[in-house]
Amino acid sequence: MVLTIKGVKMMISGKSMIRSTFRRLAILASAGALMVLTGCASVQGPSLPVSELESFVPVPHHARLMNDVKVRWEVRENVAEVCGRAAKISAAQAWMTPPLACAMWNVASKECVIITGKRVSHVELGHELRHCFEGNFHR
């Protein structure tokens, strides 16, 4: 087969052309798959367990850790680091299973700080707000 590129004629065998075409398609397919996977990860981020979407019964008013709470919401780049430190988990564990958000509450001052990243869902924010009233309800 004769291929002409910008006026230069080149002889290319059929096998060489097939290998070249196959190689290009493989590279394009790999790049496409990588873009799709990266897009999913960056658009949706880590996922929440399905149990987080279930309804729950709030603890009665008299049984809550705090009722009248001053809440502050901080949006941070380093959520895993800050929340990992607050939960007293190792940096390696925080890296392996990074916290999406956390709440740090102080009963004496009736204050609660919620830490999230720039992208946060209503479910994540609501989950952390529940900690401000009920403390550690995961037990």
Side-chain angles (χ1 to χ4, degrees):
M1 171 183 235
V2 177
L3 179 66
T4 305
I5 300 176
K6 292 188 179 180
V8 178
K9 289 186 180 179
M10 301 167 43
M11 289 294 293
I12 299 177
S13 71
K15 284 184 183 178
S16 173
M17 189 167 168
I18 290 171
R19 267 189 250 132
S20 175
T21 302
F22 181 74
R23 206 173 293 129
R24 284 187 188 126
L25 287 174
I27 291 169
L28 285 173
S30 298
L34 182 60
M35 287 189 313
V36 169
L37 292 175
T38 306
C40 290
S42 65
V43 172
Q44 296 189 3
S47 61
L48 294 169
V50 175
S51 61
E52 287 293 323
L53 302 175
E54 296 173 1
S55 295
F56 69 94
V57 177
V59 172
H61 190 268
H62 67 278
R64 292 183 191 149
L65 183 65
M66 296 185 284
N67 282 305
D68 300 317
V69 184
K70 179 181 176 184
V71 177
R72 189 173 76 238
W73 177 15
E74 293 183 13
V75 177
R76 298 287 206 67
E77 293 286 335
N78 57 344
V79 174
E81 181 185 325
V82 172
C83 293
R85 231 184 359 248
K88 297 182 175 112
I89 61 176
S90 69
Q93 186 180 358
W95 183 80
M96 293 290 288
T97 55
L100 298 174
C102 61
M104 295 174 276
W105 59 91
N106 183 321
V107 177
S109 64
K110 295 185 176 185
E111 294 180 334
C112 185
V113 179
I114 296 173
I115 308 289
T116 69
K118 287 183 177 180
R119 293 186 56 95
V120 63
S121 73
H122 289 98
V123 173
E124 292 164 28
L125 191 56
H127 175 100
E128 298 309 326
L129 184 59
R130 182 179 175 197
H131 279 300
C132 292
F133 291 95
E134 298 182 10
N136 190 4
F137 59 84
H138 293 289
R139 297 182 215 173

